[in-house]
Amino acid sequence: SFAGAAMDRSVLDAQVRASVNQKLEESGEKERLKEMLRRQLIERGWRDELKEYCKEVIKSKGLEQVSVEDLVSEITPRAKATVPDDIKAELLERIRKFLAAGP
């Protein structure tokens, strides 16, 4: 069935992601990639822009009205959407090269 095939695919995708994540972690590559990403986002001003957005959200809702969870759910979509495409592409390329390099 189509629904069964789609579910099998999402399970497979989750297994592949888990396997890739495990390889990245065990090799130390995940930490290197996170550091590269952090550095590039800071250099581009992404982090500062997000800080400003957080301040705006807190101002508009009122400090007492905003929980950490509220803030996270409010800024996460914007944070993901505003990562520059070339940084995403470079990250994917580095992961591809890492996986192609072998076991």
Side-chain angles (χ1 to χ4, degrees):
S1 82
F2 180 73
M7 192 182 314
D8 288 347
R9 175 155 179 114
S10 70
V11 168
L12 180 62
D13 287 349
Q15 289 171 340
V16 168
R17 274 196 305 275
S19 173
V20 168
N21 194 42
Q22 185 178 356
K23 287 177 184 167
L24 288 168
E25 278 190 21
E26 287 173 355
S27 67
E29 185 65 12
K30 186 173 185 176
E31 277 309 308
R32 288 187 288 277
L33 292 172
K34 280 169 58 175
E35 181 54 34
M36 177 205 76
L37 181 62
R38 189 185 72 75
R39 191 179 62 251
Q40 288 187 351
L41 291 174
I42 290 170
E43 286 171 6
R44 295 284 189 90
W46 178 89
R47 194 163 95 171
D48 291 337
E49 287 174 22
L50 218 52
K51 278 184 191 174
E52 286 306 310
Y53 182 61
C54 284
K55 289 176 188 175
E56 289 170 24
V57 169
I58 291 168
K59 238 184 224 173
S60 71
K61 294 187 183 234
L63 184 58
E64 271 67 51
Q65 307 307 312
V66 181
S67 70
V68 172
E69 291 79 16
D70 292 339
L71 200 53
V72 168
S73 67
E74 181 89 25
I75 67 166
T76 297
R78 182 174 181 142
K80 288 180 179 179
T82 57
V83 172
D85 288 342
D86 63 313
I87 292 178
K88 289 179 192 175
E90 183 181 346
L91 195 57
L92 281 172
E93 185 56 29
R94 291 210 24 197
I95 292 170
R96 274 192 206 103
K97 283 182 179 168
F98 169 79
L99 294 174

XYZ file of all heavy atoms in Angstrom:
819
model
N 0.838 -1.195 0.000
C 0.000 0.000 0.000
C 0.878 1.252 0.000
O 1.996 1.230 0.495
C -0.914 0.010 1.217
O -0.245 0.489 2.349
N 0.317 2.320 -0.528
C 1.062 3.572 -0.613
C 1.405 4.098 0.776
O 2.529 4.501 1.035
C 0.240 4.603 -1.397
C 0.940 5.921 -1.516
C 2.026 6.066 -2.365
C 0.529 7.009 -0.774
C 2.687 7.275 -2.475
C 1.188 8.228 -0.877
C 2.262 8.350 -1.733
N 0.430 4.073 1.681
C 0.655 4.571 3.044
C 1.729 3.739 3.740
O 2.593 4.275 4.437
C -0.636 4.559 3.849
N 1.685 2.437 3.536
C 2.693 1.559 4.131
C 4.075 1.850 3.592
O 5.052 1.895 4.335
N 4.159 2.093 2.284
C 5.456 2.405 1.666
C 5.981 3.734 2.194
O 7.172 3.871 2.468
C 5.319 2.449 0.151
N 5.085 4.702 2.342
C 5.505 6.013 2.864
C 5.989 5.872 4.297
O 6.969 6.492 4.693
C 4.354 7.006 2.778
N 5.299 5.040 5.086
C 5.715 4.856 6.472
C 7.058 4.131 6.517
O 7.935 4.505 7.287
C 4.669 4.078 7.271
C 4.976 4.157 8.746
S 3.922 3.292 9.895
C 2.290 3.658 9.424
N 7.218 3.105 5.673
C 8.495 2.398 5.618
C 9.618 3.374 5.263
O 10.699 3.332 5.827
C 8.461 1.289 4.556
C 7.595 0.108 4.975
O 7.232 0.045 6.168
O 7.279 -0.727 4.113
N 9.339 4.262 4.332
C 10.353 5.230 3.904
C 10.723 6.173 5.037
O 11.892 6.463 5.249
C 9.855 6.010 2.698
C 10.817 7.082 2.322
C 10.723 7.478 0.875
N 11.693 8.540 0.682
C 12.751 8.446 -0.068
N 12.982 7.355 -0.735
N 13.587 9.447 -0.188
N 9.715 6.637 5.797
C 10.040 7.563 6.886
C 10.816 6.840 7.989
O 11.701 7.427 8.597
C 8.777 8.235 7.445
O 7.989 7.312 8.140
N 10.511 5.571 8.211
C 11.278 4.787 9.189
C 12.710 4.619 8.687
O 13.671 4.810 9.438
C 10.617 3.409 9.443
C 11.548 2.482 10.205
C 9.298 3.582 10.190
N 12.855 4.309 7.403
C 14.179 4.156 6.807
C 14.946 5.478 6.893
O 16.119 5.498 7.268
C 14.062 3.703 5.344
C 15.375 3.500 4.606
C 16.196 2.386 5.265
C 15.120 3.169 3.146
N 14.282 6.590 6.545
C 14.930 7.902 6.623
C 15.416 8.175 8.045
O 16.517 8.668 8.240
C 13.970 9.018 6.193
C 13.720 9.024 4.684
O 14.436 8.308 3.959
O 12.797 9.746 4.251
N 14.596 7.853 9.026
C 14.976 8.071 10.426
C 16.173 7.202 10.792
O 17.080 7.648 11.496
C 13.794 7.784 11.348
N 16.184 5.953 10.295
C 17.310 5.048 10.574
C 18.591 5.569 9.924
O 19.660 5.538 10.535
C 17.000 3.630 10.074
C 15.951 2.921 10.896
C 15.494 1.617 10.258
O 15.666 1.391 9.058
N 14.886 0.760 11.062
N 18.475 6.051 8.705
C 19.648 6.597 7.999
C 20.172 7.817 8.745
O 21.377 7.948 8.980
C 19.308 6.942 6.529
C 20.416 7.761 5.888
C 19.050 5.669 5.732
N 19.259 8.719 9.135
C 19.683 9.914 9.876
C 20.366 9.526 11.182
O 21.396 10.104 11.538
C 18.479 10.823 10.175
C 18.158 11.771 9.043
C 17.251 12.900 9.487
N 16.022 12.464 10.109
C 14.920 12.138 9.454
N 14.889 12.215 8.148
N 13.852 11.749 10.098
N 19.812 8.553 11.884
C 20.406 8.116 13.149
C 21.801 7.532 12.909
O 22.730 7.807 13.669
C 19.505 7.089 13.839
N 21.946 6.748 11.849
C 23.232 6.137 11.521
C 24.271 7.204 11.158
O 25.417 7.162 11.630
C 23.041 5.163 10.359
O 24.279 4.686 9.914
N 23.875 8.175 10.331
C 24.775 9.260 9.942
C 25.180 10.054 11.182
O 26.361 10.358 11.382
C 24.116 10.175 8.880
C 24.911 11.458 8.694
C 23.976 9.429 7.560
N 24.196 10.366 12.013
C 24.469 11.130 13.232
C 25.464 10.391 14.126
O 26.394 10.999 14.665
C 23.158 11.398 13.977
C 23.320 12.450 15.039
O 23.977 13.459 14.841
N 22.718 12.210 16.184
N 25.283 9.085 14.257
C 26.189 8.286 15.090
C 27.613 8.330 14.536
O 28.574 8.524 15.286
C 25.693 6.835 15.155
C 26.518 5.973 16.094
C 25.980 4.544 16.189
O 24.955 4.213 15.617
N 26.699 3.702 16.906
N 27.747 8.185 13.205
C 29.081 8.239 12.593
C 29.732 9.605 12.803
O 30.923 9.695 13.084
C 28.988 7.944 11.090
C 28.723 6.497 10.770
C 28.578 6.294 9.275
C 28.211 4.847 8.987
N 27.755 4.649 7.610
N 28.929 10.659 12.632
C 29.448 12.016 12.817
C 29.917 12.216 14.260
O 30.970 12.798 14.503
C 28.385 13.058 12.456
C 28.070 13.219 10.969
C 26.814 14.053 10.783
C 29.236 13.829 10.224
N 29.126 11.725 15.217
C 29.483 11.889 16.630
C 30.729 11.092 16.988
O 31.647 11.620 17.615
C 28.316 11.465 17.529
C 27.288 12.554 17.681
C 26.250 12.256 18.747
O 26.508 11.427 19.645
O 25.181 12.874 18.672
N 30.761 9.821 16.593
C 31.870 8.938 16.979
C 33.214 9.434 16.421
O 34.242 9.246 17.049
C 31.597 7.509 16.502
C 30.525 6.810 17.316
C 30.121 5.457 16.745
O 30.601 5.081 15.654
O 29.313 4.777 17.411
N 33.170 10.051 15.259
C 34.407 10.492 14.614
C 34.883 11.856 15.120
O 35.994 12.267 14.838
C 34.188 10.597 13.109
O 33.283 11.658 12.846
N 33.990 12.569 15.816
C 34.316 13.923 16.240
C 33.979 14.961 15.170
O 34.116 16.163 15.382
N 33.519 14.488 13.996
C 33.193 15.402 12.898
C 32.002 16.295 13.254
O 31.954 17.452 12.860
C 32.903 14.609 11.614
C 32.673 15.465 10.386
C 33.881 16.269 9.921
O 35.011 16.033 10.389
O 33.687 17.152 9.068
N 31.062 15.760 14.037
C 29.886 16.563 14.400
C 30.310 17.824 15.156
O 29.810 18.917 14.880
C 28.902 15.735 15.236
C 27.610 16.470 15.525
C 26.599 15.565 16.199
C 25.273 16.265 16.379
N 24.265 15.374 16.942
N 31.242 17.690 16.086
C 31.720 18.856 16.841
C 32.426 19.847 15.925
O 32.251 21.053 16.047
C 32.659 18.436 17.977
C 31.964 18.009 19.238
C 30.918 19.010 19.737
O 31.246 20.211 19.889
O 29.764 18.608 19.963
N 33.224 19.331 14.981
C 33.917 20.218 14.041
C 32.912 20.979 13.168
O 33.069 22.183 12.928
C 34.898 19.427 13.168
C 36.133 18.955 13.950
C 37.181 18.329 13.037
N 36.804 17.018 12.535
C 36.961 15.871 13.209
N 37.500 15.873 14.416
N 36.605 14.725 12.670
N 31.881 20.282 12.710
C 30.851 20.925 11.887
C 30.074 21.966 12.688
O 29.778 23.052 12.188
C 29.888 19.876 11.313
C 30.487 18.934 10.263
C 29.501 17.824 9.926
C 30.897 19.685 9.014
N 29.753 21.634 13.937
C 29.022 22.586 14.786
C 29.856 23.850 15.021
O 29.322 24.958 14.996
C 28.657 21.934 16.127
C 27.436 21.047 16.041
C 27.207 20.186 17.262
C 27.054 20.908 18.548
N 26.722 20.000 19.669
N 31.141 23.679 15.218
C 32.025 24.822 15.444
C 32.125 25.687 14.179
O 32.066 26.910 14.249
C 33.406 24.343 15.888
C 34.390 25.455 16.175
C 33.905 26.501 17.168
O 33.160 26.146 18.113
O 34.252 27.681 16.997
N 32.245 25.044 13.022
C 32.281 25.772 11.758
C 30.986 26.563 11.564
O 31.003 27.750 11.214
C 32.467 24.803 10.589
C 32.442 25.469 9.223
S 31.935 24.349 7.871
C 30.170 24.254 8.132
N 29.859 25.901 11.819
C 28.553 26.543 11.673
C 28.423 27.730 12.623
O 28.027 28.822 12.220
C 27.450 25.512 11.940
C 26.013 25.979 11.803
C 25.725 26.441 10.374
C 25.053 24.864 12.197
N 28.792 27.534 13.872
C 28.714 28.600 14.869
C 29.551 29.808 14.435
O 29.080 30.942 14.454
C 29.203 28.071 16.230
C 28.977 29.012 17.395
C 29.593 28.468 18.684
N 31.037 28.531 18.673
C 31.735 29.665 18.844
N 31.122 30.802 19.049
N 33.048 29.644 18.827
N 30.779 29.542 14.013
C 31.688 30.612 13.599
C 31.125 31.389 12.403
O 31.111 32.625 12.399
C 33.052 30.010 13.257
C 34.169 31.017 13.067
C 35.498 30.353 12.763
N 35.459 29.598 11.507
C 35.473 28.273 11.421
N 35.547 27.521 12.499
N 35.424 27.660 10.256
N 30.636 30.663 11.407
C 30.111 31.328 10.211
C 28.856 32.147 10.519
O 28.676 33.236 9.980
C 29.826 30.306 9.110
C 31.090 29.757 8.494
C 30.806 28.876 7.302
O 29.674 28.521 7.011
N 31.864 28.487 6.608
N 27.990 31.616 11.373
C 26.762 32.344 11.704
C 27.072 33.620 12.486
O 26.436 34.648 12.272
C 25.795 31.445 12.484
C 25.180 30.309 11.663
C 24.367 29.388 12.567
C 24.329 30.833 10.515
N 28.061 33.547 13.357
C 28.472 34.743 14.100
C 29.059 35.771 13.133
O 28.700 36.953 13.174
C 29.485 34.390 15.210
C 28.787 33.610 16.325
C 30.147 35.656 15.768
C 29.730 33.002 17.352
N 29.954 35.305 12.235
C 30.593 36.214 11.274
C 29.578 36.921 10.385
O 29.755 38.076 10.033
C 31.579 35.434 10.383
C 32.856 35.042 11.090
C 33.730 34.089 10.277
O 33.409 33.808 9.092
O 34.743 33.603 10.824
N 28.496 36.229 10.035
C 27.470 36.799 9.158
C 26.482 37.694 9.890
O 25.604 38.283 9.282
C 26.670 35.697 8.480
C 27.450 34.854 7.544
C 27.723 35.590 6.218
N 28.289 34.665 5.286
C 27.583 33.924 4.451
N 26.290 34.032 4.378
N 28.198 33.071 3.654
N 26.573 37.728 11.223
C 25.639 38.560 11.979
C 24.323 37.863 12.291
O 23.409 38.459 12.857
N 24.207 36.587 11.939
C 22.974 35.827 12.160
C 22.623 35.777 13.639
O 21.477 35.995 14.028
C 23.151 34.415 11.588
C 22.001 33.483 11.773
C 20.935 33.322 10.930
C 21.800 32.550 12.839
N 20.091 32.357 11.413
C 20.603 31.869 12.585
C 22.523 32.231 13.980
C 20.108 30.884 13.436
C 22.033 31.256 14.837
C 20.834 30.588 14.561
N 23.624 35.502 14.464
C 23.382 35.390 15.905
C 22.913 36.715 16.491
O 21.970 36.749 17.282
C 24.632 34.877 16.617
C 24.340 34.415 18.028
C 25.432 33.561 18.563
N 26.375 34.362 19.334
C 27.339 33.849 20.065
N 27.526 32.547 20.096
N 28.139 34.612 20.745
N 23.559 37.811 16.074
C 23.148 39.128 16.569
C 21.721 39.461 16.141
O 20.950 40.019 16.922
C 24.107 40.211 16.069
C 25.483 40.096 16.723
O 25.578 39.515 17.833
O 26.461 40.567 16.122
N 21.373 39.129 14.891
C 20.009 39.372 14.411
C 19.000 38.592 15.247
O 17.937 39.106 15.591
C 19.877 38.977 12.939
C 20.563 39.928 11.987
C 20.544 39.428 10.551
O 19.687 38.588 10.198
O 21.400 39.884 9.772
N 19.354 37.350 15.572
C 18.447 36.520 16.366
C 18.303 37.067 17.791
O 17.206 37.061 18.351
C 18.965 35.078 16.394
C 17.908 33.993 16.339
C 16.951 34.194 15.184
C 18.545 32.634 16.284
N 19.404 37.553 18.353
C 19.343 38.172 19.686
C 18.394 39.360 19.676
O 17.590 39.539 20.599
C 20.727 38.645 20.131
C 21.603 37.591 20.729
C 22.894 38.253 21.217
C 23.938 37.241 21.587
N 25.226 37.877 21.923
N 18.501 40.187 18.634
C 17.618 41.356 18.510
C 16.162 40.915 18.410
O 15.280 41.519 19.010
C 17.998 42.222 17.303
C 19.264 43.022 17.510
C 19.227 43.872 18.783
O 18.241 44.609 18.990
O 20.181 43.782 19.583
N 15.922 39.866 17.632
C 14.562 39.347 17.487
C 14.031 38.861 18.840
O 12.879 39.119 19.188
C 14.517 38.233 16.440
C 13.131 37.689 16.218
C 12.106 38.508 15.762
C 12.847 36.346 16.457
C 10.827 38.014 15.561
C 11.576 35.847 16.248
C 10.566 36.680 15.815
O 9.305 36.178 15.612
N 14.868 38.186 19.607
C 14.478 37.727 20.948
C 14.066 38.918 21.814
O 13.049 38.862 22.514
C 15.622 36.984 21.641
S 15.890 35.325 21.044
N 14.869 39.972 21.749
C 14.557 41.174 22.537
C 13.201 41.755 22.119
O 12.409 42.163 22.973
C 15.657 42.231 22.378
C 16.955 41.852 23.059
C 18.031 42.904 22.780
C 19.383 42.456 23.290
N 20.443 43.414 22.920
N 12.938 41.785 20.800
C 11.656 42.285 20.296
C 10.496 41.442 20.812
O 9.463 41.985 21.224
C 11.635 42.267 18.759
C 12.521 43.286 18.096
C 12.631 43.049 16.584
O 11.716 42.431 15.990
O 13.641 43.479 16.007
N 10.656 40.110 20.768
C 9.599 39.208 21.234
C 9.331 39.445 22.713
O 8.174 39.558 23.141
C 9.980 37.729 20.970
C 9.024 36.781 21.674
C 10.014 37.444 19.478
N 10.402 39.546 23.499
C 10.249 39.763 24.946
C 9.576 41.110 25.207
O 8.681 41.204 26.043
C 11.616 39.665 25.657
C 12.118 38.218 25.609
C 11.522 40.161 27.095
C 13.565 38.035 26.019
N 9.977 42.138 24.459
C 9.371 43.467 24.617
C 7.881 43.431 24.290
O 7.066 43.988 25.017
C 10.056 44.470 23.686
C 10.663 45.648 24.381
C 11.227 46.629 23.359
C 12.593 47.095 23.809
N 13.273 47.896 22.809
N 7.537 42.783 23.194
C 6.147 42.786 22.749
C 5.248 41.955 23.659
O 4.091 42.292 23.861
C 6.024 42.317 21.301
O 6.276 40.932 21.203
N 5.765 40.894 24.232
C 4.944 40.031 25.087
C 5.054 40.397 26.558
O 4.187 40.031 27.343
C 5.333 38.559 24.894
C 5.015 38.046 23.520
C 5.264 36.555 23.417
C 4.996 36.084 22.016
N 4.064 34.988 21.929
N 6.135 41.058 26.925
C 6.363 41.376 28.331
C 7.207 40.299 28.985
O 6.926 39.110 28.838
N 8.251 40.722 29.675
C 9.208 39.793 30.275
C 8.535 38.742 31.147
O 8.869 37.564 31.083
C 10.252 40.581 31.090
C 11.378 39.769 31.713
C 12.153 39.005 30.634
C 12.319 40.663 32.491
N 7.556 39.165 31.950
C 6.902 38.221 32.863
C 6.027 37.205 32.122
O 5.711 36.154 32.660
C 6.044 38.976 33.886
C 6.803 39.367 35.149
C 7.895 40.399 34.890
O 7.579 41.438 34.263
O 9.045 40.168 35.284
N 5.640 37.559 30.887
C 4.716 36.699 30.133
C 5.426 35.648 29.276
O 4.769 34.769 28.727
C 3.831 37.563 29.216
C 3.104 38.682 29.920
C 2.298 38.227 31.122
O 1.549 37.254 31.031
N 2.470 38.890 32.246
N 6.738 35.763 29.143
C 7.456 34.882 28.213
C 8.267 33.843 28.979
O 9.151 34.194 29.754
C 8.412 35.697 27.302
C 9.131 34.787 26.326
C 7.652 36.770 26.548
N 7.955 32.572 28.728
C 8.780 31.507 29.294
C 9.880 31.172 28.289
O 9.800 31.561 27.116
C 7.931 30.259 29.562
O 7.539 29.665 28.333
N 10.883 30.452 28.741
C 11.953 30.020 27.834
C 11.350 29.181 26.710
O 11.709 29.351 25.537
C 13.039 29.226 28.601
C 14.044 28.615 27.641
C 13.741 30.119 29.605
N 10.405 28.314 27.054
C 9.769 27.458 26.045
C 9.053 28.295 24.990
O 9.129 28.004 23.800
C 8.774 26.485 26.692
C 9.417 25.410 27.552
C 9.816 25.900 28.949
O 9.341 26.972 29.393
O 10.633 25.208 29.588
N 8.338 29.360 25.448
C 7.656 30.255 24.505
C 8.659 30.892 23.554
O 8.437 30.961 22.341
C 6.923 31.392 25.241
C 5.741 30.901 26.048
O 5.242 29.798 25.759
O 5.318 31.635 26.967
N 9.744 31.367 24.120
C 10.760 32.047 23.332
C 11.362 31.099 22.298
O 11.496 31.439 21.125
C 11.843 32.618 24.257
C 12.719 33.722 23.709
C 11.900 34.871 23.144
C 13.669 34.228 24.779
N 11.681 29.896 22.740
C 12.259 28.902 21.830
C 11.280 28.580 20.705
O 11.656 28.565 19.531
C 12.673 27.619 22.593
C 12.992 26.479 21.633
C 13.869 27.903 23.486
N 10.006 28.357 21.038
C 9.048 28.004 19.981
C 8.796 29.184 19.051
O 8.503 29.004 17.878
C 7.741 27.467 20.569
O 7.057 28.476 21.256
N 8.945 30.401 19.561
C 8.762 31.603 18.747
C 9.941 31.840 17.802
O 9.752 32.195 16.646
C 8.584 32.811 19.672
C 8.374 34.118 18.976
C 6.914 34.425 18.693
O 6.036 33.920 19.403
O 6.682 35.195 17.747
N 11.160 31.631 18.283
C 12.324 31.989 17.452
C 12.851 30.852 16.583
O 13.511 31.106 15.577
C 13.498 32.556 18.292
C 14.084 31.495 19.200
C 13.088 33.799 19.022
C 15.415 31.876 19.794
N 12.567 29.587 16.942
C 13.129 28.457 16.191
C 12.793 28.492 14.699
O 13.700 28.345 13.871
C 12.729 27.119 16.835
O 13.295 27.071 18.153
C 13.239 25.929 16.035
N 11.521 28.702 14.324
C 11.243 28.734 12.874
C 12.021 29.843 12.163
O 12.554 29.623 11.066
C 9.730 29.005 12.799
C 9.193 28.589 14.128
C 10.303 28.832 15.121
N 12.107 31.012 12.792
C 12.844 32.116 12.177
C 14.337 31.792 12.109
O 15.003 32.083 11.110
C 12.622 33.394 12.971
C 13.317 34.583 12.360
C 12.959 35.837 13.100
N 13.592 37.016 12.546
C 12.992 38.178 12.454
N 11.751 38.309 12.856
N 13.635 39.211 11.976
N 14.857 31.196 13.173
C 16.276 30.839 13.207
C 16.617 29.894 12.057
O 17.590 30.110 11.329
C 16.632 30.209 14.549
N 15.807 28.852 11.877
C 16.057 27.886 10.801
C 15.916 28.533 9.430
O 16.712 28.280 8.527
C 15.078 26.713 10.908
C 15.366 25.790 12.066
C 14.359 24.660 12.120
C 14.657 23.712 13.260
N 13.674 22.614 13.333
N 14.904 29.386 9.284
C 14.614 29.989 7.982
C 15.660 31.013 7.563
O 15.812 31.282 6.370
C 13.233 30.640 8.005
N 16.384 31.575 8.516
C 17.310 32.654 8.171
C 18.768 32.225 8.085
O 19.633 33.071 7.847
C 17.174 33.829 9.174
O 17.394 33.351 10.500
C 15.804 34.489 9.078
N 19.052 30.928 8.245
C 20.425 30.456 8.018
C 20.711 30.626 6.522
O 19.945 30.144 5.688
C 20.598 28.973 8.431
C 21.969 28.441 8.014
C 20.394 28.803 9.927
N 21.778 31.339 6.173
C 22.068 31.573 4.745
C 22.225 30.267 3.964
O 22.817 29.301 4.449
C 23.394 32.351 4.778
C 23.407 33.013 6.119
C 22.732 32.043 7.044
N 21.655 30.252 2.746
C 21.666 29.044 1.912
C 23.069 28.529 1.633
O 23.292 27.322 1.584
C 20.947 29.300 0.580
C 19.439 29.417 0.770
O 18.922 28.979 1.820
O 18.776 29.953 -0.136
N 24.035 29.433 1.442
C 25.387 28.964 1.132
C 26.011 28.252 2.338
O 26.792 27.317 2.168
C 26.278 30.094 0.626
C 26.491 31.192 1.649
O 25.515 31.655 2.261
O 27.648 31.607 1.832
N 25.644 28.655 3.542
C 26.150 27.968 4.737
C 25.522 26.575 4.839
O 26.210 25.589 5.120
C 25.892 28.798 6.011
C 26.753 30.070 5.983
C 26.178 27.978 7.273
C 26.537 30.997 7.176
N 24.213 26.480 4.569
C 23.545 25.168 4.561
C 24.193 24.254 3.528
O 24.458 23.080 3.803
C 22.053 25.313 4.226
C 21.224 25.946 5.300
C 19.782 26.033 4.810
C 18.932 26.910 5.679
N 17.577 27.086 5.144
N 24.449 24.806 2.330
C 25.038 24.015 1.241
C 26.428 23.509 1.624
O 26.768 22.354 1.368
C 25.098 24.839 -0.042
N 27.223 24.385 2.237
C 28.568 23.981 2.637
C 28.516 22.868 3.691
O 29.282 21.906 3.640
C 29.360 25.167 3.189
C 30.780 24.773 3.542
C 31.615 25.904 4.119
O 31.208 27.079 4.017
O 32.678 25.593 4.685
N 27.588 23.000 4.632
C 27.431 21.985 5.675
C 27.054 20.638 5.054
O 27.656 19.604 5.374
C 26.359 22.451 6.667
C 26.257 21.750 7.998
C 27.576 21.800 8.756
C 25.154 22.390 8.830
N 26.086 20.641 4.136
C 25.684 19.400 3.463
C 26.838 18.797 2.671
O 27.046 17.585 2.684
C 24.498 19.660 2.528
C 23.148 19.747 3.211
C 22.078 20.194 2.221
C 22.764 18.420 3.840
N 27.604 19.653 1.992
C 28.735 19.176 1.207
C 29.789 18.520 2.110
O 30.345 17.478 1.774
C 29.343 20.327 0.404
C 30.446 19.896 -0.542
C 30.023 18.810 -1.534
O 28.835 18.736 -1.906
O 30.899 18.019 -1.924
N 30.037 19.127 3.255
C 31.020 18.545 4.188
C 30.530 17.210 4.737
O 31.325 16.279 4.912
C 31.335 19.527 5.315
C 32.121 20.711 4.764
C 33.084 21.397 5.646
N 33.664 20.718 6.765
C 34.258 21.354 7.759
N 34.334 22.670 7.762
N 34.791 20.688 8.761
N 29.227 17.089 4.984
C 28.673 15.812 5.458
C 28.781 14.772 4.347
O 29.188 13.629 4.592
C 27.209 15.984 5.927
C 27.179 16.835 7.206
C 26.559 14.623 6.178
C 25.790 17.283 7.640
N 28.453 15.165 3.099
C 28.576 14.226 1.970
C 30.009 13.724 1.829
O 30.245 12.530 1.650
C 28.156 14.905 0.663
C 26.689 14.846 0.411
C 26.365 15.273 -1.025
N 25.013 15.788 -1.024
C 24.694 17.078 -1.056
N 25.628 17.996 -1.156
N 23.440 17.449 -1.028
N 30.973 14.639 1.886
C 32.387 14.248 1.753
C 32.797 13.314 2.882
O 33.516 12.336 2.658
C 33.286 15.483 1.740
C 33.289 16.208 0.427
C 34.230 17.403 0.457
C 34.233 18.100 -0.893
N 34.897 19.397 -0.855
N 32.335 13.624 4.094
C 32.639 12.781 5.247
C 32.115 11.368 5.018
O 32.824 10.388 5.233
C 32.019 13.383 6.513
C 32.059 12.463 7.700
C 33.217 12.298 8.436
C 30.922 11.745 8.070
C 33.259 11.432 9.519
C 30.951 10.878 9.156
C 32.116 10.727 9.877
N 30.865 11.259 4.556
C 30.251 9.938 4.330
C 30.932 9.206 3.181
O 31.111 7.995 3.234
C 28.759 10.079 4.062
C 27.941 10.591 5.256
C 26.503 10.848 4.847
C 28.008 9.617 6.424
N 31.331 9.951 2.146
C 31.978 9.327 0.990
C 33.375 8.819 1.330
O 33.882 7.910 0.683
C 32.049 10.325 -0.166
N 33.971 9.406 2.359
C 35.350 9.042 2.721
C 35.455 7.643 3.299
O 36.531 7.112 3.447
C 35.919 10.071 3.702
N 34.317 7.030 3.643
C 34.385 5.637 4.053
C 33.853 5.342 5.438
O 33.199 6.172 6.034
N 34.154 4.144 5.917
C 33.576 3.635 7.168
C 33.986 4.440 8.329
O 33.646 5.030 9.102
C 34.160 2.237 7.309
C 35.178 2.068 6.270
C 35.160 3.277 5.384
